[in-house]
Amino acid sequence: MSVTITRNTGAFNLMVNLSVKLKDVTLEKLAPGESTNFELPNATEKIEVSCFFAHKEIEVRDGQIVTIQKNIPVKLFQFSIRFLLFVLLLLITFRIITSLALVIVLSIALMILYTYAYFFIPDFKLEIISNSSTN
């Protein structure tokens, strides 16, 4: 039997293909809305889905269908960082914050947090939606 992995369509990571790996070997790169089927060498295997430096693993069995969906709490976290950057820009523009040291520290901290949130925290989740295995 085989395992099916489906990437949901939607407005998350439209420009990025997600890599599906089994034992550090890339099986497929999924664009939004695509699916892939593959055979498992063993009855149970761990597959990894990755994007940039972020990755998630899930244990699958023969006959299962896995879907890749957006992770709403992570998306809200990413949005809040963008909002904080915007607020900082407004505070600097209207000269509410006048301390150059404070502006530099806040800017660097938010840029590091922004980079970490977008490249190292996976903004997708893996869910098994169908379990048609005979085990």
Side-chain angles (χ1 to χ4, degrees):
M1 293 183 78
S2 64
V3 171
T4 303
I5 297 181
T6 303
R7 180 176 174 186
N8 283 352
T9 57
F12 86 100
N13 288 342
L14 286 177
M15 306 290 279
V16 178
N17 290 336
L18 298 177
S19 298
V20 179
K21 297 180 182 179
L22 177 67
K23 296 181 181 176
D24 294 330
V25 176
T26 301
L27 300 173
E28 190 77 36
K29 291 190 182 243
L30 294 177
E34 286 186 341
S35 285
T36 185
N37 293 329
F38 58 90
E39 299 291 327
L40 294 177
N42 299 321
T44 302
E45 288 287 345
K46 280 191 176 189
I47 59 167
E48 178 182 305
V49 177
S50 61
C51 174
F52 297 118
F53 303 110
H55 65 278
K56 283 203 176 233
E57 288 185 351
I58 190 168
E59 190 169 297
V60 294
R61 286 178 270 143
D62 280 340
Q64 289 183 328
I65 298 173
V66 178
T67 184
I68 303 170
Q69 300 177 343
K70 69 179 169 183
N71 192 345
I72 293 175
V74 172
K75 286 301 209 182
L76 289 174
F77 177 64
Q78 291 173 343
F79 177 77
S80 67
I81 294 170
R82 280 188 296 215
F83 179 74
L84 288 174
L85 282 168
F86 177 71
V87 168
L88 181 64
L89 180 65
L90 286 177
L91 292 175
I92 294 168
T93 303
F94 292 111
R95 298 179 190 241
I96 296 171
I97 297 178
T98 57
S99 169
L100 182 62
L102 183 62
V103 168
I104 291 173
V105 168
L106 287 175
S107 299
I108 290 173
L110 284 174
M111 291 309 294
I112 289 171
L113 192 59
Y114 180 85
T115 303
Y116 181 74
Y118 277 89
F119 292 107
F120 295 98
I121 299 176
D123 60 348
F124 55 88
K125 60 183 176 180
L126 305 175
E127 290 184 355
I128 297 173
I129 59 171
S130 175
N131 191 357
S132 61
S133 79
T134 56
N135 293 342

